[in-house]
Amino acid sequence: MKNTTRDNTPADPSLIDSRTAAWRLLTVLGLVTLGNAGMYVVAVVLPAVQTEFGIGRGDASLPYTLMMVCLGLGGLFTGRLADKHGITPVLRLGAVAVAGGFAAAALSGNIWAFGLAHGLLLGLLGSSATFAPLLADTALWWNKRRGIAVAIAASGNYVAGTVWPPLVQWGIETIGWRNTYFLLAIVCGTGIFLLANLMRQRPPLVLAAAPATPGGALPDTSRPFGMKPAQAQTLLCVAGVACCVAMSMPQVHIVAYCVDLGFGAARGAEMLSLMLASGIVSRLVSGWICDRIGGIRTLLLGSALQCVALLMFLPFDGMVPLYLISAMFGLFQGGIVPSYAIIIREHFAPQEAGARVGAVIMATLVGMALGGWMSGWVFDLTGSYHAAFLNGIGWNLLNMSIALFLFWRVRGSGSGPGLPRGAVA
């Protein structure tokens, strides 16, 4: 393994797919797990915050919505910053923001201060620094196993959703939510800052992506999918919104759906946990698949399978079937979002990866926020979650249509997604 100069000098191309890349990937997994804690603990602390501030459930839910919207917007800023200055300054900024956000939330005297701490600090600057830029960075360190590498990095988000809620619930019961938030500020902020020091090496300078199939021709990254970059980016962003409007229906409303069916909130929470745990498996398997068939084919496959799972919610509403369908949904949808990072890496200029991945991730988060609200709105209009599931299926079909169109453009051009494996500048 070659020694390389840190900071501004790109790594030696021989480090692609190396042990160095593997250690860096492990560091990324830790960073994503620490940096994405906020989006899950805010749901756990919601009842305590609602009681202390004397507000309704709707007002108590606003910090989550504000955080998700700001997280999406922040991905644009942190992605561009990473492209220009490297990932380490972005992570250090994120560490300070995460620590400051948890501390400010712990000191808040009303729901608006609590919400702003989550939106502006934890979302806009904190979590946004530890997701999209890290997916883009990871994609630049791998060729042969790029799909599984990006999937492992993205799985940190679901790992955070598995690890942090029970720990935070224990903290709330033991020392109160404010002291728990102070501990989160110390643990997450310090952890991110220390791990950022292991990320100082700039990625290897590469020309283009490796193909998912051997012998593929080098694509023109100035004309992704034979279109102007802005047009291709817009299509991917629309696809990101559409897939996550559909994805959010079960994720946001499964608990309420179970309450309406008479199964209780606890059963719904178990189904949600099963869904997220299955999502970890899905991301890893989808990454393995992506290494063999490429990003756009993986997106098309995941979208089609997600649509199948959504359709299964319509005829079956028994408790046991819902457990099975929830697990199925998690297994089918977990690989969709990481596939966008692979598509960007395969078809766009590598030097723009951070900003472009950040834009698509922002679109997926907008889709989650929009879908969660829209599903509730459809339910209020119709009094039925069946109509809300049909709405999600409609958005899913839009995503499938875009994925199919882009796949057709790749097939029609007669070119593979990138350079032969291992090709670098």
Side-chain angles (χ1 to χ4, degrees):
M1 183 175 65
K2 296 183 180 181
N3 293 324
T4 56
T5 305
R6 291 179 178 266
D7 298 321
N8 291 325
T9 304
D12 191 290
S14 66
L15 294 178
I16 293 176
D17 297 321
S18 70
R19 183 177 299 178
T20 296
W23 279 111
R24 189 178 180 94
L25 178 59
L26 183 62
T27 303
V28 168
L29 181 62
L31 285 163
V32 177
T33 302
L34 290 169
N36 286 262
M39 69 175 64
Y40 296 102
V41 304
V42 67
V44 178
V45 79
L46 186 149
V49 169
Q50 179 184 358
T51 300
E52 182 166 331
F53 292 151
I55 55 177
R57 180 59 55 87
D59 288 342
S61 301
L62 286 175
Y64 174 80
T65 301
L66 184 60
M67 181 180 181
M68 295 301 287
V69 172
C70 289
L71 198 162
L73 294 174
L76 290 173
F77 167 70
T78 55
R80 289 184 181 275
L81 195 64
D83 286 339
K84 186 174 182 180
H85 300 289
I87 193 68
T88 296
V90 174
L91 292 172
R92 288 171 176 165
L93 172 65
V96 173
V98 166
F102 278 126
L107 294 171
S108 59
N110 55 63
I111 192 62
W112 296 110
F114 185 80
L116 287 174
H118 282 79
L120 298 181
L121 291 174
L122 286 169
L124 188 68
L125 299 176
S127 294
S128 70
T130 56
F131 193 64
L134 288 173
L135 298 189
D137 181 89
T138 298
L140 297 173
W141 281 87
W142 295 86
N143 274 340
K144 294 180 181 178
R145 301 176 181 87
R146 185 183 304 124
I148 190 66
V150 171
I152 290 172
S155 294
N157 181 272
Y158 284 168
V159 173
T162 304
V163 170
W164 290 112
L167 292 176
V168 169
Q169 183 60 43
W170 176 85
I172 293 172
E173 296 171 354
T174 306
I175 58 177
W177 75 268
R178 292 184 185 271
N179 287 331
T180 300
Y181 260 55
F182 277 125
L183 283 178
L184 286 169
I186 296 170
V187 173
C188 294
T190 302
I192 294 170
F193 197 90
L194 292 176
L195 290 177
N197 292 324
L198 303 178
M199 300 286 289
R200 287 177 291 171
Q201 177 62 65
R202 297 294 288 265
L205 183 61
V206 294
L207 284 175
T213 55
L218 173 63
D220 181 3
T221 56
S222 66
R223 299 277 300 175
F225 303 104
M227 296 182 284
K228 295 180 180 179
Q231 294 174 331
Q233 179 83 55
T234 299
L235 274 179
L236 287 175
C237 286
V238 173
V241 171
C243 75
C244 287
V245 168
M247 191 183 298
S248 68
M249 171 56 224
Q251 288 191 8
V252 176
H253 290 274
I254 188 66
V255 176
Y257 185 43
C258 284
V259 171
D260 289 349
L261 292 173
F263 301 141
R267 292 289 178 263
E270 289 172 358
M271 292 178 194
L272 179 59
S273 296
L274 180 61
M275 198 180 294
L276 291 174
S278 300
I280 298 175
V281 178
S282 173
R283 288 194 168 175
L284 297 177
V285 173
S286 294
W288 179 83
I289 292 173
C290 193
D291 285 331
R292 284 149 180 79
I293 66 174
I296 192 63
R297 294 173 177 85
T298 303
L299 173 61
L300 183 57
L301 175 63
S303 182
L305 290 175
Q306 177 174 268
C307 193
V308 170
L310 285 171
L311 286 168
M312 295 295 287
F313 278 104
L314 295 176
F316 301 106
D317 59 4
M319 185 166 65
V320 173
L322 283 178
Y323 272 108
L324 295 175
I325 296 169
S326 295
M328 181 192 304
F329 185 82
L331 288 172
F332 287 171
Q333 58 82 26
I336 293 177
V337 172
S339 70
Y340 292 112
I342 301 299
I343 293 169
I344 295 291
R345 177 65 180 85
E346 288 174 343
H347 295 279
F348 292 79
Q351 295 80 3
E352 303 169 353
R356 294 198 181 279
V357 172
V360 179
I361 295 299
M362 179 194 71
T364 63
L365 292 170
V366 169
M368 291 295 292
L370 175 63
W373 167 82
M374 185 180 292
S375 296
W377 176 71
V378 171
F379 175 83
D380 289 339
L381 284 179
T382 64
S384 168
Y385 268 123
H386 275 219
F389 278 116
L390 288 172
N391 176 69
I393 291 168
W395 284 90
N396 201 125
L397 291 174
L398 173 59
N399 175 266
M400 285 179 59
S401 298
I402 294 174
L404 188 61
F405 171 73
L406 294 178
F407 173 68
W408 173 77
R409 298 281 295 189
V410 172
R411 294 276 293 184
S413 68
S415 66
L419 286 167
R421 295 191 186 279
V424 295

